[in-house]
Amino acid sequence: MSGKNSERAERKVSKRAKAAKIRGIMEQEGTAIETNTQGFNDGRYESVADLEDYEGLKDEARAIKEDAIARLPDLIDDLTAAVEDNGGTVYLAEDAAEANEYIESIVADADADSVAKSKSMTTEELEVNEHLEDASVDVVETDLGEWVLQVAEEAPSHLVAPAIHKSREEITTLFEERFDPDVPLETAEDLTKFAREQLADDIASADVGMTGANFLTADSGTMALVTSEGNARKTVASTDTHVAVAGVEKIVPSVEDLQPFIELIGRSGTGQDITSYVSLLTPPIDAPTFADEEFGDADARDFHLVLIDNGRMAMREDEDLRETLYCIRCSACANSCANFQQVGGHAFGGETYTGGIATGWEAGIGGEEAAEDFNDLCTGCSRCTEACPVKIDIPWVNTVVRDRLNRGADPDAFDHLVSGLTPDPEPAGLDLQKRFFGNFSTVAKLGSAFAPVSNWVAEAPPSRWLAETILGVDRRRDMPKFTRGTLRKWAKGRDSLADPDREVVLLADTYTNYMHVERGKATIRALEALGCEVHVADTSESGRAALSQGMIATAREHAESVADSLEPHVEAGRDVIVVEPSDLAMLRNDYERLLDAETFDRIATNSYEVLEYVYGLIENGADINALADGDGEEIAYHSHCQQRTLGLDAHTEAILDRLGFDLLTSEVECCGMAGSFGFKQQYYDVSMAVGDDLREQFTTPDTEDRTVVASGTSCHDQLTELLERSVTHPVEVIAPAE
Amino acid sequence: MPSTQAASLLERFVASLEEIDVAWSRTDANGFESTLESVLEEPAVGVPIPIDGASLPDTVETDLDPETVRAAATGVTPATIAVADYGSVLLESDANGSELASLFSETHVPVIREQDVVGTMADAFEDLGPLLRGDQGDVIVATGPSATSDMGALVTGVHGPTDVHVVIVEQ
C-alpha cells in the first residue's frame, strides 16, 4: 500500500504543480495570446467566407496529401531527380543528428562562418541553430518574430507567429536592454525599422542562406515558401549557398497541386487571403549573385535540399498518426482552440510543435511521452476539425496518443493480470482521475441509486478532500447532483401514445437518465406532442466519457452495447434521438472508429439531436402550436462546441425563434468545461478563464435577466457556476407542460 | 478574349488592389514613360519591360549593381501574370536582376500587360506548371507590400518594399 500511497501523493503534487505552472503561463502570456489567437480565428472565418467553394478546396487539399503520403517513396525519388537535374543536391537525413552533421558539412564546404535563416519549424525540431553555434557558426534568424525569440532566448509559442506571447511593450524592453538603441522604440513601426536595419547587415554579410519549405513539388523540384516579411526572399537572394530543410511530408506530386494550399494556408492560419509573398523557387535561383561591388553570375549559386525523416516514415506506417503528415502547419487548430487561446504554446505544446496537432508531431518524432505534458489540454471539443484545411481528425490523434500513454510502453503488459479487478478493459496503472471520469456512468448509476444520500456525501468536506486528493477533482467545483429515480423508470410507467404518426427511440445518456432527468421528460413530452411514440433505449453511456480519457477499449465496449441496444429499434424503423450533443457526435462521427462500417453507417444516418429532430418534424408538417408558446420570453442561448461542429446550432435557434422566444445567442464557441476537463484540479483555472468570455456576454445589461438555455450538460454546469443563475435545456422551454 | 470579360477581369483586379491598399495606374505604351515618371521616386532602378513601345524613363537606372539596388527608392520590374481575385502579381527571377530590383527598393512598381490579368489562382497555375517545370524558373506570387505583425501591430515595409504601385499597360 505504501507504494500506491506515495504514487498517489506524487500525482497529487504533480497535478497541483501543473496547475501552478499553467496559472503562471496564463498570467505572463495569456493576454497577448488570447488577443492574437482570437484575432486570427475571427480573420479565418471572414477570409474563408470569401471562397466560392471552401469545402471543395479543403477536400482537394486533403486528397492531394493522402495521395502524396501514400506514394511518398516514389515522390522522394522523383523530387531528387528533379532537383539534381536543376543542378542542386538532395540529402535524405534519417534523424536530427544526421541532418545537423550534413548541414554543418555544407556550411564548412562553403567556407562560411555565418548563416542567415528564414523561419522554419523543422529546423527548430532539429535544433540546427544550437548545432551550428557549437561549431562556431553564427546563425541569425531573419523573421522578426523568430529574431525576437533568438534575442530573448525563448522558444516559439505558436507555429506561424512564434513570438505571439510577447506584447509590444515587452519587445521594447527587450531591445532596449539588449541593444541600448539611440532612438526610442515606442511604436510597432519603430521596432520594425530597428529590427530591419539590424538584420539587413546580418543578411548582407551571411555566406549561407537557410530556409524551410512549405511545399516541394516532385515534378519540377520547386519549393514553395509562404511568407509576408520578404525575409525568405532576401535570405535566398543575398547568399550564394542555399540550404533548404524540409520534412519528407512536404512533397506534393506537381506544381498544380500547390494551388489549393496557397489559397487555404493564409486564410486558415492568420486569416489573410494570401500572404504577401509565396515564393515558388526552383533553385538554384536565377537571380544574379551579390559579388562585392558587382552582380555576379547566377551560375555561382549552389542549392542543397535536406529532406528529413526523423520519425516521419514510421508515422506513415502508423494508421492513427499518419494523418498528422497531412498537416501544413497553418496554426488553425491552435487559433480555434479555446484552451490554446488562454494558455498558448508554452503550455499547449511540446519540444517544438504547438496546438492540437502538436500531439501528433511530438509523438511521431519523439514518442508518446513527448506529448504527455500537454496532450490532456485537448478536450476533444472538435472546433479545430472544421478549421483544419486538410481535415485532420485532430481530437482522434489526441485520443489515440492518450490511450497509448494510459497503456504505457507495453500496451498489453498488465491486462491479463487485472481482468475482473477493474471496471473497464484498461491497464491497471491507469491514472485514477482518468479512470474515475472515464467510468462516470458507473458513478452516476450508483449515485442515482443512493440519492439524495450520495449527494450529501459527495458534498461533505471530507469527501471533497478525498476526491481532490485521490481523483484530482477540483474542490471549487460543485459536484453533479444525482436524481433518485431515473428517466428510464419514469418512462416505463407512462402510457404509450394512442395512434402515433411515428415511433422513435431516445438514447437517454448518462446525464439525462441519472441527473438531468427533467430534460429527458421534456424531450418525451415534446416529441409526443408532435405525434411521436417515444421508446427509451436500455443503455445510456455512449462511450464519450471513456473516449475523452483516452480509454478507447472501454469506449468501444460502450459503443458495441449501444449498437446492440439500438439496432432492433432502427430495424423497426425508429429514428434515434439524442439530447446530449457530445453523445450525438459519438454516434455520428467517433463510432466510425469504434464499430464496423455497416453498423456505424446505420446508426449515424438514423440519429438526430432532439431539436434538430423537432425542426425536421415541423418542416414536415407537424403542428408547431403543440409546443410551448415563447410569448416573447427573453432567452440567452449557448450552443455546444460539438453541436456547432455538427452544424446543428441553427436548428435550435430556428425553433426557439419560431416559437416566439426573444433569442440572443452566445458567440463563444466553447464554455470551457468540456466534460470532465473543468473538474480536474490541474485545469480548473484554464476552464474558468475560457468560460470568462461567456460570463461577460451573459452578464451585460441586455443579457443579465434573460433565461439561460444551453444544449450541453457541461455547458449547463459551467454556466451555472459562472453566472450563479439556473440554466435549462432548450427542450425544457419548448416542451408543453405535463 | 471578349472585351466585356476582359473589362471585368481588370475591374476585379483593381478592386482587389484597392482592398489591400495597393496603388495602381493604367496606361498604354505611349503614355507608359510619363506614367512612370509620375509614379517613381529617385533614385530608381529597373529592368527592361518586355512590352512593345514601353521604354523606361532615363531616370531609371538599368545598369544594376548591389549598391544601386540597395539604395533604390523605386524598383520597376515586369510582372508575368496578375491574379484578379487576389490583386497578386507574379514576378519571375531572371539574369537582369528583376528579383533584386523588386525586393530591395522601398516602392516596387510591377508592370503588367492588361491582357495578362487572369481571374483566379487556378487560372494562374495553368501557366505556372509549364513555366516552373520547363524553365526551372522562379516565380514570386506577390500580393501587396512586405508586412509583419510580429512587433505588436501591422507594419508594412519589413525586408521588402513598403509600398507597391502596379502599372497596367493596355494594348
Side-chain angles (χ1 to χ4, degrees):
Chain A
M1 262 326 269
S2 66
K4 271 248 165 79
N5 278 340
S6 66
E7 207 177 293
R8 274 177 198 160
E10 208 172 280
R11 269 192 187 130
K12 181 187 127 195
V13 170
S14 79
K15 284 191 171 78
R16 196 182 281 170
K18 186 162 201 172
K21 183 189 161 200
I22 292 175
R23 200 159 44 234
I25 290 173
M26 282 201 293
E27 275 165 19
Q28 179 68 31
E29 303 177 351
T31 310
I33 296 270
E34 185 174 15
T35 310
N36 289 320
T37 49
Q38 290 185 350
F40 290 161
N41 200 40
D42 292 345
R44 171 176 63 85
Y45 280 117
E46 260 177 58
S47 180
V48 301
D50 292 340
L51 285 168
E52 218 163 89
D53 185 14
Y54 174 45
E55 291 303 319
L57 212 53
K58 287 198 286 185
D59 287 336
E60 214 182 308
R62 166 91 189 185
I64 290 167
K65 279 289 184 182
E66 279 182 10
D67 170 54
I69 297 302
R71 51 195 183 97
L72 190 53
D74 290 342
L75 293 181
I76 292 174
D77 290 345
D78 293 351
L79 174 67
T80 303
V83 170
E84 287 172 355
D85 191 39
N86 298 338
T89 71
V90 179
Y91 181 80
L92 180 58
E94 215 169 284
D95 55 27
E98 252 188 50
N100 286 333
E101 266 170 50
Y102 179 71
I103 292 165
E104 188 190 335
S105 76
I106 297 173
V107 173
D109 289 349
D111 212 9
D113 55 18
S114 63
V115 173
K117 252 185 91 204
S118 83
K119 183 181 172 314
S120 148
M121 288 308 299
T122 308
T123 60
E124 298 271 352
E125 172 190 326
L126 303 174
E127 300 185 349
V128 172
N129 293 14
E130 290 79 353
H131 185 88
L132 288 178
E133 279 156 10
D134 286 347
S136 304
V137 177
D138 286 336
V139 181
V140 62
E141 294 284 354
T142 61
D143 172 88
L144 260 48
E146 285 285 349
W147 188 61
V148 166
L149 297 185
Q150 195 179 25
V151 173
E153 296 180 18
E154 286 179 26
S157 62
H158 188 269
L159 290 174
V160 174
I164 198 176
H165 58 283
K166 282 198 137 25
S167 67
R168 183 175 52 75
E169 293 77 8
E170 287 171 282
I171 299 171
T172 298
T173 309
L174 173 74
F175 284 4
E176 280 172 350
E177 281 173 6
R178 178 66 185 268
F179 300 106
D180 192 19
D182 303 333
V183 288
L185 305 175
E186 279 162 10
T187 64
E189 283 81 7
D190 296 340
L191 290 164
T192 302
K193 187 159 177 270
F194 178 77
R196 174 179 55 205
E197 283 163 10
Q198 291 274 323
L199 288 168
D201 295 341
D202 289 334
I203 297 173
S205 62
D207 306 302
V208 171
M210 194 184 303
T211 68
N214 292 86
F215 306 95
L216 296 157
T217 62
D219 61 343
S220 64
T222 301
M223 55 186 285
L225 283 167
V226 178
T227 72
S228 274
E229 294 183 0
N231 60 314
R233 289 176 72 187
K234 222 166 201 172
T235 299
V236 174
S238 303
T239 52
D240 294 357
T241 301
H242 176 190
V243 181
V245 180
V248 286
E249 83 284 0
K250 299 288 178 65
I251 308 173
V252 294
S254 73
V255 172
E256 284 78 359
D257 291 328
L258 296 173
Q259 176 248 326
F261 297 104
I262 285 169
E263 298 208 59
L264 285 169
I265 193 167
R267 295 179 196 269
S268 301
T270 52
Q272 292 167 276
D273 295 353
I274 191 167
T275 58
S276 299
Y277 306 120
V278 178
S279 298
L280 304 171
L281 308 179
T282 314
I285 66 164
D286 296 331
T289 60
F290 285 80
D292 297 327
E293 292 184 5
E294 298 293 318
F295 280 134
D297 196 305
D299 288 344
R301 290 181 178 277
D302 278 332
F303 174 62
H304 305 277
L305 175 62
V306 187
L307 289 173
I308 309 298
D309 176 348
N310 210 26
R312 289 165 174 78
M313 294 311 263
M315 287 166 80
R316 189 174 161 266
E317 305 292 330
D318 184 323
E319 212 175 297
D320 294 307
L321 289 188
R322 186 187 305 137
E323 261 195 307
T324 304
L325 296 172
Y326 306 159
C327 169
I328 60 171
R329 299 176 181 178
C330 69
S331 78
C333 58
N335 304 331
S336 60
C337 172
N339 284 349
F340 190 94
Q341 289 173 4
Q342 297 302 324
V343 302
H346 287 158
F348 199 158
E351 279 284 309
T352 310
Y353 297 100
T354 49
I357 198 61
T359 287
W361 282 119
E362 294 288 345
I365 290 161
E368 274 84 51
E369 296 73 24
E372 187 164 17
D373 258 3
F374 65 92
N375 166 264
D376 283 345
L377 279 163
C378 170
T379 64
C381 85
S382 78
R383 296 306 299 141
C384 55
T385 55
E386 65 178 40
C388 176
V390 285
K391 299 190 158 186
I392 299 173
D393 191 346
I394 295 162
W396 178 255
V397 173
N398 277 280
T399 304
V400 166
V401 171
R402 196 168 302 152
D403 184 79
R404 291 179 187 177
L405 284 165
N406 287 346
R407 284 169 191 284
D410 182 0
D412 301 316
F414 300 106
D415 276 12
H416 65 285
L417 290 176
V418 296
S419 58
L421 296 179
T422 57
D424 53 54
E426 307 298 329
L430 177 65
D431 183 80
L432 279 178
Q433 184 184 59
K434 286 198 161 81
R435 177 158 269 147
F436 172 75
F437 285 117
N439 288 303
F440 189 70
S441 55
T442 310
V443 178
K445 199 171 173 179
L446 291 169
S448 168
F450 294 104
V453 176
S454 52
N455 292 327
W456 301 335
V457 173
E459 287 299 337
S463 305
R464 298 313 310 268
W465 177 80
L466 272 173
E468 185 170 285
T469 307
I470 298 175
L471 303 173
V473 178
D474 198 284
R475 218 179 295 211
R476 288 163 287 187
R477 285 281 181 201
D478 285 334
M479 293 300 262
K481 294 278 186 303
F482 301 107
T483 313
R484 184 71 181 256
T486 64
L487 179 69
R488 248 195 306 278
K489 199 180 265 177
W490 177 82
K492 257 188 199 146
R494 204 167 158 80
D495 295 334
S496 60
L497 193 67
D499 195 22
D501 297 328
R502 63 175 72 211
E503 293 181 34
V504 299
V505 56
L506 173 65
L507 178 69
D509 57 87
T510 302
Y511 305 106
T512 304
N513 193 48
Y514 297 110
M515 291 145 69
H516 298 283
V517 175
E518 284 310 314
R519 73 183 198 184
K521 293 179 183 174
T523 297
I524 293 173
R525 289 203 308 277
L527 291 170
E528 283 180 353
L530 298 171
C532 300
E533 181 176 346
V534 184
H535 302 259
V536 180
D538 57 9
T539 50
S540 282
E541 181 50 50
S542 69
R544 166 62 67 197
L547 196 72
S548 69
Q549 307 306 318
M551 296 159 63
I552 295 175
T554 309
R556 183 168 284 121
E557 283 189 351
H558 285 297
E560 282 162 358
S561 137
V562 166
D564 287 347
S565 163
L566 292 181
E567 289 228 67
H569 293 286
V570 173
E571 255 165 53
R574 293 169 195 150
D575 292 323
V576 180
I577 309 301
V578 182
V579 180
E580 183 62 35
S582 62
D583 288 300
L584 181 68
M586 283 294 283
L587 271 58
R588 277 203 192 161
N589 294 331
D590 301 275
Y591 276 14
E592 189 172 10
R593 313 267 191 183
L594 303 174
L595 298 173
D596 66 84
E598 211 179 302
T599 310
F600 161 68
D601 195 51
R602 219 172 16 250
I603 292 180
T605 52
N606 289 297
S607 298
Y608 302 87
E609 192 265 342
V610 55
L611 269 89
E612 176 194 20
Y613 201 69
V614 166
Y615 178 88
L617 290 171
I618 287 164
E619 283 292 293
N620 285 290
D623 182 11
I624 193 167
N625 295 320
L627 299 174
D629 184 357
D631 198 23
E633 183 183 349
E634 292 189 332
I635 278 183
Y637 172 58
H638 175 68
S639 175
H640 179 277
C641 47
Q642 274 150 339
Q643 184 184 8
R644 289 176 202 261
T645 304
L646 291 166
L648 300 177
D649 40 338
H651 299 78
T652 300
E653 290 167 23
I655 291 295
L656 292 170
D657 189 52
R658 280 197 215 173
L659 283 169
F661 290 95
D662 181 319
L663 184 65
L664 192 142
T665 57
S666 75
E667 282 157 23
V668 177
E669 293 185 26
C670 179
C671 68
M673 182 61 105
S676 61
F677 181 79
F679 280 97
K680 293 180 177 173
Q681 187 185 7
Q682 63 274 43
Y683 303 121
Y684 175 82
D685 297 312
V686 184
S687 168
M688 293 306 277
V690 171
D692 212 39
D693 288 345
L694 190 53
R695 186 185 54 73
E696 273 175 28
Q697 226 170 62
F698 281 1
T699 50
T700 63
D702 187 32
T703 53
E704 63 187 358
D705 296 323
R706 287 175 176 260
T707 306
V708 181
V709 179
S711 296
T713 301
S714 296
C715 321
H716 169 281
D717 293 349
Q718 176 82 322
L719 279 163
T720 305
E721 179 153 348
L722 287 167
L723 303 175
E724 295 171 359
R725 277 144 79 184
S726 71
V727 178
T728 186
H729 187 280
V731 78
E732 292 179 66
V733 302
I734 70 158
E738 183 76 57
Chain B
M1 194 182 284
S3 60
T4 51
Q5 200 191 339
S8 84
L9 276 180
L10 179 70
E11 279 164 21
R12 272 162 65 193
F13 179 52
V14 299
S16 295
L17 289 177
E18 280 167 12
E19 221 168 281
I20 55 172
D21 287 328
V22 168
W24 58 278
S25 305
R26 185 173 174 228
T27 180
D28 56 17
N30 293 329
F32 179 71
E33 207 173 319
S34 61
T35 301
L36 268 192
E37 273 165 355
S38 70
V39 167
L40 57 82
E41 272 183 48
E42 292 182 47
V45 296
V47 297
I49 304 299
I51 298 177
D52 282 345
S55 52
L56 294 171
D58 293 339
T59 48
V60 178
E61 179 61 70
T62 53
D63 185 14
L64 305 182
D65 61 49
E67 202 188 323
T68 50
V69 163
R70 285 201 172 104
T74 308
V76 187
T77 71
T80 313
I81 298 169
V83 186
D85 278 357
Y86 286 86
S88 308
V89 289
L90 274 55
L91 313 172
E92 281 186 69
S93 283
D94 53 35
N96 294 334
S98 289
E99 167 68 354
L100 310 175
S102 66
L103 179 62
F104 283 80
S105 51
E106 272 171 49
T107 300
H108 175 220
V109 180
V111 181
I112 181 82
R113 294 193 303 178
E114 191 170 319
Q115 67 198 73
D116 293 328
V117 179
V118 300
T120 65
M121 197 55 79
D123 294 339
F125 268 84
E126 280 178 22
D127 293 329
L128 273 170
L131 200 154
L132 294 171
R133 276 187 295 270
D135 301 343
Q136 303 170 351
D138 311 301
V139 178
I140 310 292
V141 181
T143 313
S146 147
T148 190
S149 294
D150 285 348
M151 296 294 160
L154 182 68
V155 178
T156 61
V158 194
H159 298 284
T162 310
D163 288 298
V164 175
H165 189 120
V166 178
V167 174
I168 304 157
V169 183
E170 56 184 313
Q171 284 198 311

